[in-house]
Amino acid sequence: MDEIRRLKPLVAALPRRLKPRAKSLLVTVWGDAIAPHGAGIWLGSLIRLVAPLGLNERLVRTSVLRLTREGWFTVAREGRRSYYGLTEFGHKALVADPPRRIYAAAPTPWDGAWHLVLTGLGAGRIDRETRVQLRRELAWLGFGAVAPGVFAHPSPDRAGVERVLAKLGVADRVELMTANSERAGADRSRDLLQSCWDLEAIRAAYRRFIERFRPFWQAIEKASDPDPETCFVLRALLIHEFRRIILRDPELPAELLSPDWEGGTARVLCRNLYRRVAAAAERYVTAVLETADGPLPEPRPYYFQRFGGLHEAEAPSASR
């Protein structure tokens, strides 16, 4: 009981401390809590769902309207009610692509190779706007710029690269190569990393994440029956903050990073907290959200595979 009394005020203060932007937070909530159920939801129930996150009705309506105009959502009307679901673009953005990085159990082992994307060869045939968008998309996938028109990553999402090139229509004007360093060394590799990525900024973000969320683990670890609404708020803001960092992090292999790199600690903390609150948070989500046909359907199987599996951590145990 003491742990629960301590947890509630900590969580209640979190939206004011983090001050997330409404539209960005709604994207996180949709991808984390709504998309796994695969159904269109009534806007009124979404407004009730996110109210504990500090989002009022006006902010939600405005953000949903903007996201719909940007191609994220479809809308269907039944009488006076509006029901929103994901478009194909929204599904790829929230279900197919980034979630593999956000909810991964552990980084993929490195084979020692560097993967290069060469855009300089065809730069004359790629218009400026497309080149800017290509650089932005490659950065989103974790690539660093080694030289003008040359982007590198040690272990990229190859399928993601192919999708970006196809989307921009430049697959035939970009060269993909794999290379191995002939003069490998820790100092040489670190110099390359520092020139391609702002690792100190990412490290500082991980440190802040750990400092902010470690007290929640200490408060909830032994709590016997945490409140579903409190668990939903904690899960939503936890994954929102982690998502903001992980999608900036190139997730370089451990062999290339210092032994005290905080990324691994942050992922473990996020995994443990997420597993701990997932079941109770889902009870809140399913109790509040409504579809045109009634309650939400059960989450799809991929939901239960997050962070290596959710089932085994749904109830508190003495071993955690």
Side-chain angles (χ1 to χ4, degrees):
M1 185 62 69
D2 289 340
E3 289 84 359
I4 295 176
R5 282 199 296 264
R6 180 185 171 204
L7 180 66
K8 283 188 175 182
L10 277 174
V11 173
L14 198 53
R16 295 191 298 273
R17 288 182 59 201
L18 298 179
K19 299 178 181 177
R21 294 183 178 179
K23 192 170 78 166
S24 178
L25 183 56
L26 278 175
V27 168
T28 296
V29 169
W30 205 289
D32 183 66
I34 301 173
H37 295 274
I41 61 165
W42 174 40
L43 179 59
S45 66
L46 174 64
I47 291 169
R48 290 202 306 267
L49 180 80
V50 299
L53 293 169
L55 302 182
N56 60 39
E57 181 176 347
R58 181 185 61 80
L59 279 174
V60 176
R61 289 184 181 276
T62 301
S63 299
V64 169
L65 180 61
R66 288 175 178 170
L67 288 166
T68 303
R69 288 174 176 169
E70 292 171 9
W72 291 77
F73 299 141
T74 62
V75 58
R77 290 181 173 82
E78 298 283 343
R80 300 180 64 181
R81 290 187 168 189
S82 297
Y83 295 85
Y84 288 83
L86 290 177
T87 62
E88 182 180 355
F89 166 78
H91 183 271
K92 286 183 178 180
L94 296 180
V95 178
D97 292 331
R100 280 197 291 268
R101 295 176 61 190
I102 297 168
Y103 300 105
T108 305
W110 187 39
D111 61 5
W114 284 86
H115 301 266
L116 306 177
V117 178
L118 308 182
T119 67
L121 297 177
R125 292 182 290 137
I126 302 176
D127 63 85
R128 182 180 182 280
E129 183 178 348
T130 302
R131 290 202 305 272
V132 170
Q133 190 172 356
L134 178 58
R135 286 197 297 270
R136 185 183 303 119
E137 295 275 2
L138 289 174
W140 181 264
L141 290 172
F143 279 81
V146 179
V150 181
F151 301 87
H153 196 288
S155 53
D157 174 6
R158 291 298 296 267
V161 174
E162 297 287 356
R163 280 193 295 272
V164 165
L165 299 182
K167 180 178 76 172
L168 298 180
V170 296
D172 60 340
R173 287 169 280 172
V174 170
E175 190 71 34
L176 304 180
M177 301 182 68
T178 301
N180 292 91
S181 174
E182 293 186 357
R183 294 185 293 172
D187 292 338
R188 184 181 300 275
S189 295
R190 290 195 182 101
D191 289 343
L192 175 63
L193 301 184
Q194 293 296 337
S195 67
C196 294
W197 295 279
D198 189 355
L199 295 182
E200 286 307 311
I202 297 170
R203 164 172 261 177
Y206 277 131
R207 286 173 177 161
R208 288 193 298 271
F209 178 87
I210 294 166
E211 291 171 359
R212 283 171 176 163
F213 287 98
R214 188 170 276 164
F216 292 97
W217 172 252
Q218 295 164 351
I220 203 172
E221 180 183 10
K222 297 178 182 178
S224 59
D225 190 21
D227 172 61
E229 181 182 303
T230 298
C231 288
F232 165 75
V233 172
L234 177 54
R235 186 181 75 169
L237 294 172
L238 170 79
I239 212 66
H240 183 66
E241 290 299 300
F242 188 66
R243 169 181 174 266
R244 292 177 62 205
I245 305 171
I246 204 68
L247 294 182
R248 292 163 43 209
D249 184 356
E251 292 187 281
L252 301 171
E255 295 90 336
L256 298 176
L257 297 168
S258 61
D260 60 347
W261 177 253
E262 289 84 353
T265 300
R267 179 173 290 280
V268 170
L269 175 61
C270 185
R271 179 201 67 190
N272 289 344
L273 264 173
Y274 194 95
R275 285 177 167 181
R276 181 65 184 86
V277 301
E282 275 300 295
R283 289 197 293 274
Y284 175 76
V285 170
T286 55
V288 173
L289 290 182
E290 297 181 35
T291 74
D293 302 315
L296 284 177
E298 291 294 315
R300 294 175 176 177
Y302 78 82
Y303 165 77
F304 297 100
Q305 297 167 7
R306 289 174 172 177
F307 292 112
L310 299 180
H311 288 294
E312 67 271 21
E314 289 182 350
S317 69
S319 62
R320 272 201 307 269

